[in-house]
Structures are given as C-alpha cells and as structure tokens.
Amino acid sequence: MAEVVKRAFEYRFYPTPEQSAEFARTFGCARLVCNMALQARVEAWTLRQERVSYNTTSALLTGWRKTEELAFLNEVSSVPLQQALRHLQAAFTNFWGKRARYPVFKSKKRSRRSAEYTASAIRWRDGTLTLAKMGQPLAIVWSQPLPEGASPSTVTVSQDAAGRWFVSLLCGDVIEQAPASGAIGVDAGLGSPMILSTGEKIANPRHERADRARPARAQRSLATKVKGAANRAKACRKVARVYARITDRRRDYLHKLTTRLVRENQTIVIEDLTVRNMVKNHSPARAISDAAWREFRSLLECKAEWHGRDLVVVDRWFPSSQLCSACGARVERMPLNVRSWTCHCGATHDRDVNAARNILAAGLAVTACGDGVRPQRGNLRSGQSTVKQENPRATKGTPALQGREDVKMPPGRRRRFRGTRRTAAPRSAGCPCPARPSSACG
C-alpha cells in the first residue's frame, strides 16, 4: 500500500547579492504588512467590537500600496504579502479555537525571516526554480532528489540567525507503507534518551554537552562587543552558527531514530510528558532540553501517520516505574536514585526497562480493549484513562475510546483541560487484551 501526502523538502541555497537584497526587502515588507493588519484587527475589536476577516485585511493591503508612504510595498512580490495575511488569519483561527495564544507583533530582531510563495509566483522548469521579481533561478544545493514528476505547489524562503539560506518546496510524495507486526514501548530518560521495552537503551549523544565549550567561548566573545557595532553582529552570527550545528546534529539523530522505530513496529506506545513544566526545575532542565523529548514525539507522530502506524500515548500519571512488569505489584515509593529493584515475587528489574514494558502493556490494552485501564491502587486518581487526551491534531492515529463522563478533579488540583474526558469502554468476560491481567484488565 502507498499513501500520497504533502511533504516539504528543504534545501540550502546561495543567493546572489541582488537576490539577497530582494529577499531582505520581502521579509521586511511581509513583517510590516502583518503588523499593520494585526493593529487594524486589534483596533477594530477594541473600539467597535467587530472582527476583521482576511478579505478585509486584503482590501486594506490594496489601499496601503496606493499610498505615498507605503508605495515601497509595490517593489516586492504581492504573493508573500498576501500569504502573511493568510498566516495571520490562521493564527486568529487557532486562537478562537483555543489552540494557541493571541497573535503578537513580529519583531525585526527576533522573528523568523521568511517569505512564502504560491504557484502564481513560482516558475519551475527543468529542475530550476525562479521566483517572482527574480531575474535568475536560485542556486540550490540538491542534497536529495525531489519525487519523480513532482512540482512544488508552495515555496518558502527563509534565513536563520546563522545567516544560512534555505528554500522549502512543498510537493506531493508517495509514502510506501511496508507491513510491520511488532509492538514496542518507549520510555524517556536522561542517561539514555529512549529506553525500549525490548531492553535496548538508545545511547545519548549529548550534543549540547559535548560542544559546551564552543558556545561558551562564543558567548564570552560576544559579551565584549559594543552594541550596534559591526563586530557585535559578526559575533552574534558566530554564536548562532555554534548553536545551529548542535541543533542540526540533534535533529539528524532524532530523524534516524524515529524512522527506525516506525519502520520496524506497527504499534508504538509512548508516555506523555509535560516538558514545559519539567524544564522549570533548573537542575535537570539543560539535560531535558538536550534530550529533545518533545521534538522526538512530534517526529514520531508525523511519521506514524504517514506509514499507517498506531501511536498510543499513555497518560502522564500512569505509574510505569512503580509497577512490577512480572506480577503487577506496585511499590509505593520509587526515588530517582533507585535504578534497579527487586520485587517480592523475585523478579529483578532495571527501572527504565521495566517502565518501558509497563508502558507497552498499557498501550496494548488500548488497542485490544478500546481503553487502557490503569490499576486503581493507593492514592491514584479514580476513573481516569491510561491514555492522554489531547486535541485531535496532537493525537492522530491514537485509538479512540468509547463513552464519556464529566471529569471530577480531586481537591487541591487545578483543572488543566476543558470539556470532558473519555473513559473506559465496558469489557466482556473474555477480554482478549494481551497485557497482563493484574495491571491492565483487572
């Protein structure tokens, strides 16, 4: 089987001085148009309590381009300016849908420098790409070929803080969905960023820690430069290049790891982690950021959807480290310094491998029974599913649960979600769940 998806292919390119100047003007005009449209929307709502649509801001852009003060907007292609308005409309749509915060104004120094071109501003001939207002094609370094017969529908040009230029081509691609039968549980760690239920511990390259001396030297050099001087700008780019190297190596490693997991397994079970809250603890924050748990999950979700895999997300409150994967008994306390322990049944467990096996068992309960039933012992919250409930975009491919009921939070715990939480489906006496009975099916 094969599935046709929209996929972006990113390449580096080296613009000529004329092209660099044209892109710089385009970036600035797109940022200005976005900020002016946002200001118009804010004023309309504050003064008249009315919402401004994309069509209204598009009409405003036409009027702005006819004024003497903003006549320079005509020097660049109109397509990136219209795309900036569409992105602003999407930002407001996400805000109204409670999926994002209120849009903010773009900064010249901190915002991403990018411009998006649609098909009307693209000329693609014989493997060469020419954009509107450009006299010659872009000098792209084709690190990998585009799909055969593919033609880009959208092109995004961007420049990072290190001064590197990138072009992203959105094309249709055919993803071959090779069959797979395995199931694996993945537990996140710091010594090993990923621990598999098979007992394998993925080595942690520690990209940031390995290169910690280089950014330190670059930062010390930057601190001696005068603000506004040309040497300070050079020092800023040097710092950005150091961090870009770390980021590229980490992303390449995660891409290879997630591709391997998706190709070898049909069902992948991971644990939900609130990385945003975990990094507030300054002690492990640097190591957590270097492990890149959030980026790992994002890549895994995307590739699992492409290849038709089942990705199950276990609730963050599931006591995976405190349960014995052999008998299901629970240890009330499990400090972080305890890396191995022996259960009263005689089984000796590695803390991380045991947690990965428990996560896999909970995920298999979901796929087999329609819900993962967590063991209700001790001070665990009652009536809660093992599976993390999020917005549909974040949990595509996660098996749906049946039934709903209102959520009752225990005293002292702040409500962190809206609406209702799905609950377990009723199970028959002959439940085919492959998980161990003591922990999953009661």
Side-chain angles (χ1 to χ4, degrees), residues 40-52 102:
R41 285 174 175 263
V42 171
E43 291 179 354
W45 178 256
T46 304
L47 301 179
R48 300 182 297 275
Q49 295 294 304
E50 65 180 32
R51 290 182 177 179
V52 177
Y102 194 83

Side-chain angles (χ1 to χ4, degrees), residues 54-109:
Y54 161 75
N55 294 331
T56 304
T57 55
S58 180
L60 290 175
L61 174 60
T62 303
W64 294 336
R65 299 180 67 180
K66 294 180 180 179
T67 62
E68 183 178 355
E69 295 81 4
L70 300 176
F72 59 86
L73 295 178
N74 297 299
E75 299 177 2
V76 302
S77 174
S78 62
V79 174
L81 307 185
Q82 294 287 350
Q83 289 300 106
L85 298 181
R86 290 190 176 93
H87 294 166
L88 180 62
Q89 177 64 32
F92 272 99
T93 301
N94 292 332
F95 169 72
W96 294 327
K98 302 185 184 301
R99 296 184 296 271
R101 297 181 179 180
Y102 194 83
V104 298
F105 293 96
K106 292 183 177 295
S107 169
K108 181 178 180 180
K109 295 182 179 180

